[in-house]
Each structure stands twice: as C-alpha cells, then as structure tokens.
Amino acid sequence: TKNRYGFFPSASAGWVISKEPFWKDPKTTIKLRMSVGMTGNQGGIGPYAWMPLANGGYNYLNESGIAFMTKGNENLKWEKTTQYDLGLDMAFFSGELTLSADFFQKYTKDMLYNKPIPATSGFTNEICNIGQMRNSGLELTLGSDVSIGDFRWQGGFNISFIKNRLTSLINDGVLTSGSYHALKVGEEVGSFYMIKMLGIYQKDEDVPKKQYEQGVRAGDVMYEDVNGDGDIDTAGDSQFCGSANPLFTGGLSSTFSWKGFDVSLLFAFSYGNNLYQIWNGGLRLGNGLWPSQESEALARWTGPGTSDSVPRAIYGMTWNSTRFISTRYLHDASYLRCKSLSLSYTLPAKAAKKVGMDLLKIYIQADNLFLISPYRFIDPEVNSSLDATKMGLDNMWLPQPRTFSFGVKIQL
C-alpha cells in the first residue's frame, strides 16, 4: 500500500489558577486544561486488505482453478482523528464538592467503511476511505463528599451531550448502510433511513388511486409519499427518520452512610435515541401465522376515528407490516433505569471483635430494580449490532435480569 505509515502528534497544557499569588480562597481550587491530539485507526483493515486476494478450489472444466475473493484497494489510508479539548476542574469547600467540565471538537477524516458495491463487479463490498465527520460535545461531572457528624454523603452525577455530523462523503447522495440506516452529508452516523408512517387512512376516499388499486383501504397505514407519484416504494419514498444516537446520556450515584448503615443508589439515563423493532410478528395483525399481541389487537383500527396508529387486522395484507421498512416500528428508546439499590449494616469493630471477627457486614441488594421508558417492549437498552452505522436495532435480545441478593461478609 502507498499509505503504510502515519504521524500522530499530540500536546497538552494545564494551568492551576488557584496556585497563583492572586488567588485568595484556600478552600477552592481551579484548574484549566487544554489539549490537542491526533490518533490513527486501522480497525477494519485486515491483513493484506489493500491487495486482491484469491482462494483455490474454484475448479472449471475438471481443471484446478482459483478465484479472487476480495477486490483490494491500494489507496487505503489510516483513518485520522484530530481532537481539541478544553476542560475545567473545580473543587469547593476543601474538596467536598467538585465540578469537572469538558468541551471537545473531534474531526475525523478518511473514515474507513466496508462500502457495498454492485455485485456485477464480482464482489459485494470494498473497504475504502469514504469521508469526514465532526463530533462535538460537552461532558459535565459533579461530585460530593460531605460529612456532618456521623452522617456522610458521597455522590456523583455525570451527563454527556454529543452530536456528530458527516461533513463529506465520496459522493453527495445517500449511501445505505444495511436495511435500516444510511449515510449522507449533513446527517448523523447512525441515522435511520426508511419510509415514514403518517397515520391510518380513515376513509376509502382518502386512499390515493395507485394505492387503492393495490388493495389499500380504510384502516391501512398511510405513508408519506416523498416523490409525489401517488405510490409508495422504498427507493423513491425513504427518508431520514430519527437516530440511534441519544441527545444526552448520564448517570447518578449516591451513598448515604450513618454509623454502621449504608444506602447506595445507582441510576443511568438516556434521552432522544430511537430503537427499531426488528421482531414485529405480534404486530402484523394477520400477515402470516404470527399470533397477535393482545394490546395491539385491542388497539387496532375498527372504523373511522378508532385508531390513527394501529392498522386494521386483515389476513395476508403485507402493506401494513412487512412490505416496507417504516417508522411504524421505530420507537422512542429514552429511559431512566435504577441499576442498583443496596442496604448494608457493618457491625462496629469492637462488637465484631467480641465474636471473634475482624469484620461482619450484612447486606441486601437489588439490581435493575425498575425501568421508566416510553419504549413499550422488552428493553430499550439493547443493540443487535455494535457497528456505529447500524446501531439501534432490537431483535428480541434478552433484557437485563432483575436480581435480588442477600449476603453476609465475614473477615476473621
């Protein structure tokens, strides 16, 4: 390859403002941080990916033969990311309260991607550098360690706001990434690309002629006709609809201690991300032999005005379910989850010594205690793929279990 080597410099600087002679508050500290650096990524580039590779065993006319299995790309480059970071660390009341804030801008160029190509070329994909992306974000972290007599509170809160945008691609059009996502300049990596559901046709006369001729009637799904031809098809009417990326994520933790008692809480949250429900058999309402979910069957359209979100039940009708990939199965996956709640009691050291122990601690703990989310199916915190271009897919993955445990910790 022509681009085997890379150069990735970095630099950072910090200023502890509270150590300057003009600073007069000994219980407060402030530090300003700045950094810039470049990193290289060759993930996805396998050994010899830059050159065409052939395998044997492809015999022809009783003669031994070989066939090319990969296309190769001698122009492959390192994926390069340059990040600028500005941070601020503050501590108040001799460290009882802390604040850390980071703002960053990250620019990635020569992004690596396994691009689909026409099968008529003899191959189905090609590893290549496709474009540039910008990430920007703000991360805030708050901490506490406060003691009042026998009472102590240790807490932490963090929240992250991150936004990404594709700033260039190998072309200005839409580059599909699987069946549910696509890439385009100006859109996020992880954006969903599909047909948008507008509602339910309430009257037969509302159905466009071309759709009516295909059997669409009142009670069937109304899709947005993007190209205005009166019909619905994936090529002409798909559009960007939501993203697998949340607007913000974060967590909250607190431990309250009083004498020998401790109560600990841990929460996690995410807001603004979408999740596509790949498993949808129970929502098909007559398409195939799938049993229908009771809630879906009871909410179905049965006449004008009865539903604008769940279509009628009709056997063999694919229009409402499997004919198109649509936003009917795209849901808000925001959530607030109680990850852990625990209560413990530690016997005072003197009392433990009297029974021949160095430590005696009794505890009870609940994990995944509760979940609050508009996502009405199994678990909003799942992903069928960890590929950044294909995230936000729920294929009936097992949810996180709710567990309760009781224990005794003894040290002799």
Side-chain angles (χ1 to χ4, degrees), residues 120 170 229 274 302:
T120 51
I170 51 178
D229 64 356
N274 296 115
T302 55

Side-chain angles (χ1 to χ4, degrees), residues 198-219:
L198 298 179
I200 303 296
Y201 287 118
Q202 300 298 320
K203 300 177 181 179
D204 284 348
E205 49 265 34
D206 296 335
V207 181
K209 181 180 179 181
K210 289 185 178 180
Q211 298 177 32
Y212 192 89
E213 292 171 350
Q214 299 176 52
V216 178
R217 298 292 186 272

Side-chain angles (χ1 to χ4, degrees), residues 162 164 188-192 243-247 271-274 388 391:
I162 300 177
N164 78 67
E188 297 183 25
V189 174
S191 294
F192 289 100
S243 172
N245 301 310
L247 296 177
Y271 178 79
N273 55 303
N274 296 115
M391 294 185 70

